[in-house]
Amino acid sequence: MTPNDTDRDALLEELAAFLEMRIDGQRQTLARLDALRAAVIRRDEPALSELFDQVRIDNAAGQELDAIQLRLGRRLASAFGLDEPVNLTRLCGVLDAQPREVVRQKQQLLLELTRRVQTEHTAAEMLLRECARCNRQLLEAILGRSSQTVTYTAQGQNRVDMHRGLVNLKY
């Protein structure tokens, strides 16, 4: 085994560890989306606040992983004689059977998790949109719309001024 082969093996081990971090990140994203939907349904404001704080932290970690991926891709391109940017499919084309199978398995798992994240993200977005729609309808029912008709009591008097807010902000 030449020193170059040793470097490549170490680089492939680093790639495998990096892909595991990405896989863990996708699994955490799925768990957070599930927790988000549950917190919205339960109206658990502390849990929602905690989730939003965690999303900010995850964004910073995601940017760090993106930088690692860029550096790792450059090193892989150099070690295996590939043009940049390197993707896993192109890398598998130059690998031996055993490391290729490891990379393909991780690639397939990542693709599956990414599809699930996209599906769950869409479901969470739909839930939040529906909540916003319901909130708008409730506010319109309470505050009224500018085009809403006026209602009257049995005596013919204006029941509620539908165009005034519930709270007067004048001091």
Side-chain angles (χ1 to χ4, degrees), residues 18 22 64-74 76 86:
F18 173 78
R22 285 291 194 189
E64 186 177 320
L65 279 177
D66 290 343
I68 292 170
Q69 180 176 338
L70 187 62
R71 288 191 302 271
L72 186 57
R74 287 180 183 148
L76 286 165
V86 174

Side-chain angles (χ1 to χ4, degrees), residues 97-134:
Q98 195 270 339
R100 178 177 47 236
E101 188 57 33
V102 170
V103 171
R104 279 203 174 131
Q105 287 175 355
K106 291 185 184 305
Q107 180 186 28
Q108 289 302 316
L109 182 55
L110 261 173
L111 286 171
E112 177 188 327
L113 288 170
T114 299
R115 285 186 197 109
R116 285 182 50 204
V117 165
Q118 290 170 341
T119 301
E120 296 298 317
H121 179 270
T122 301
E125 183 179 4
M126 289 172 56
L127 174 65
L128 293 174
R129 285 183 187 274
E130 185 63 17
C131 288
R133 186 187 67 77
C134 290

